[in-house]
């Protein structure tokens, strides 16, 4: 296998979705399909079970992933160490971003780099489907996630920023012209079903009930990516809410953003694996504590 084909296989084994795999690797879905078919011909057996609704690893695929993943990580880490050595650096801190506003956090990144020139800093997007998988499997060192995170193997560090929440609507929706809306509208209509995850975490992003105690139903279709949210809302298929930064980073002709005036919004902070806390992670947490919480 070529190294790129191995990366495609391992990414698909994690995402279990051809579209998300292609988007994550910045290739076409056809390229993903071609790579997997080529590997299956070489192995002599299917690596994935595909239906119109799901993608799953076969037993052969599970075994291949277990065999390839450690070697691929070792090779990638070796190349990364070589690049760092060429730059005169002794390590790199890998930060995953669940929100799409890494630019807003530049003061933290710049302070980290200024204080610790011996270390590199790499910032990457982190999918919100299986959001904790990249940090648990060692692909990143620290995650910027909405809080609270109450996982026994993860440590929650300082809060980085807070922001209000916005309701996403199609432009022709009756509420699209409002200056703000109440969370009570969610009790009238519910929201799109988000990705699977702990209930406490889902409730922190979109509460399960309004301020008056009315339940907020979750409706299909399921949401697997930010593009899914935009597509379904833009087509008039439902409501959804996101952090207010999306109104600045994702201006779209098919989406209107309306602030939610009676919901406190989101709190975002640093999260890392408790058993892999390092000097670099501690240094970033110290920068955040020193600079304080941003309010966006």
């Amino acid at each position: 296998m070529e190294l790129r084909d191995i990366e495609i296989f391992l990414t698909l084994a994690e995402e279990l979705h051809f579209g998300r795999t292609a988007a994550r690797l910045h290739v076409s879905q056809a390229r993903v399909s071609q790579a997997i078919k080529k590997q299956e011909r070489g192995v002599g057996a299917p690596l994935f079970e595909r239906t119109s609704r799901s993608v799953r690893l076969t037993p052969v695929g599970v075994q291949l992933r277990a065999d390839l993943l450690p070697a691929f990580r070792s090779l990638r880490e070796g190349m990364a160490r070589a690049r760092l050595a060429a730059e005169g650096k002794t390590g790199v801190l890998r930060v995953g971003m669940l929100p799409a506003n890494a630019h807003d956090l530049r003061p933290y990144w710049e302070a980290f780099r200024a204080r610790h020139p011996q270390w590199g800093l790499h910032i990457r997007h982190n999918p919100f489907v299986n959001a904790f998988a990249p940090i648990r499997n060692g692909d990143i060192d620290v995650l910027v996630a909405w809080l609270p995170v109450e996982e026994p193997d993860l440590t929650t560090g300082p809060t980085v920023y807070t922001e209000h929440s916005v309701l996403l609507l199609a432009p022709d929706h009756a509420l699209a012209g409002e200056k703000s809306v109440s969370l009570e509208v969610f009790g009238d209509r519910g929201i799109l079903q988000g990705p699977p995850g702990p209930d406490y975490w889902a409730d922190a992003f979109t509460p399960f009930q309004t301020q008056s105690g009315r339940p907020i139903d979750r409706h299909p279709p399921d949401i697997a990516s930010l593009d899914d949210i935009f597509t379904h809302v833009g087509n008039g298929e439902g409501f959804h809410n996101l952090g207010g930064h999306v109104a600045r980073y994702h201006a779209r002709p098919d989406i209107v953003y309306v602030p939610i005036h009676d919901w406190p919004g989101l709190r975002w902070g640093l999260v890392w694996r408790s058993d892999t806390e390092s000097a670099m992670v501690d240094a970033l947490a110290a920068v955040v504590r020193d600079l304080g919480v941003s309010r966006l």
Side-chain angles (χ1 to χ4, degrees):
M1 288 186 190
E2 297 179 1
L3 187 60
R4 185 58 163 172
D5 288 347
I6 294 174
E7 184 178 29
I8 288 172
F9 165 75
L10 292 174
T11 304
L12 182 59
E14 179 182 328
E15 295 286 353
L16 297 178
H17 190 282
F18 280 79
R20 291 198 299 271
T21 297
R24 180 168 157 186
L25 297 178
H26 306 289
V27 298
S28 67
Q29 290 192 45
R31 174 71 176 89
V32 175
S33 297
Q34 291 165 3
I36 298 304
K37 289 177 181 178
K38 176 182 176 182
Q39 293 167 42
E40 290 176 332
R41 288 195 299 270
V43 171
L47 300 175
F48 295 91
E49 295 176 359
R50 310 163 179 81
T51 70
S52 60
R53 297 182 60 85
S54 67
V55 177
R56 294 188 301 171
L57 281 165
T58 65
V60 174
V62 170
Q63 180 62 58
L64 183 63
R65 181 182 185 274
D67 289 341
L68 289 180
L69 188 56
F72 180 76
R73 285 179 179 165
S74 179
L75 179 60
R76 188 172 57 183
E77 289 167 2
M79 293 297 295
R81 285 193 296 270
R83 287 193 294 269
L84 288 171
E87 297 170 1
K89 297 186 183 298
T90 60
V92 60
L93 181 66
R94 302 163 301 168
V95 179
M97 291 283 299
L98 276 176
N101 63 335
H103 180 77
D104 288 335
L105 308 187
R106 282 182 61 192
Y108 303 103
W109 314 142
E110 291 171 356
F112 179 88
R113 291 182 173 115
R115 292 185 188 184
H116 305 287
Q118 77 277 22
W119 294 329
L121 179 65
H122 291 173
I123 301 166
R124 53 167 278 188
H125 169 68
N126 195 95
F128 60 74
V129 175
N130 297 323
F132 301 136
I135 197 167
R136 283 177 167 145
N137 63 28
D139 287 340
I140 59 174
D141 304 301
V142 62
L143 175 66
V144 178
W146 73 82
L147 303 178
V149 171
E150 300 171 356
E151 301 297 298
D153 58 330
L154 302 180
T155 295
T156 299
T159 298
V160 181
Y161 73 96
T162 61
E163 64 178 346
H164 68 285
S165 289
V166 293
L167 175 64
L168 281 65
L169 299 163
D172 58 355
H173 194 281
L175 296 175
E178 298 293 323
K179 292 184 178 180
S180 68
V181 295
S182 168
L183 194 66
E184 295 298 326
V185 302
F186 286 62
D188 297 333
R189 300 168 177 85
I191 65 163
L192 297 172
Q193 177 67 52
D199 281 351
Y200 76 85
W201 207 46
D203 184 64
F205 198 91
T206 308
F208 287 107
Q209 62 181 25
T210 69
Q211 305 284 36
S212 66
R214 299 164 64 202
I216 298 176
D217 295 328
R218 268 66 169 167
H219 302 305
D222 290 351
I223 297 300
S225 69
L226 190 60
D227 283 339
D228 283 345
I229 295 174
F230 291 143
T231 299
H232 294 306
V233 171
N235 287 334
E237 297 174 26
F239 276 178
H240 209 75
N241 70 295
L242 291 171
H245 72 270
V246 298
R248 292 180 287 113
Y249 284 84
H250 295 279
R252 295 173 58 107
D254 58 341
I255 298 291
V256 172
Y257 301 102
V258 181
I260 303 169
H261 62 251
D262 57 354
W263 177 242
L266 299 173
R267 184 167 58 96
W268 301 83
L270 302 184
V271 178
W272 58 84
R273 269 177 55 184
S274 302
D275 63 348
T276 59
E277 185 172 345
S278 67
M280 290 186 291
V281 170
D282 289 343
L284 180 61
V287 165
V288 172
R289 292 188 184 100
D290 290 347
L291 295 187
V293 180
S294 294
R295 288 172 176 80
L296 304 180

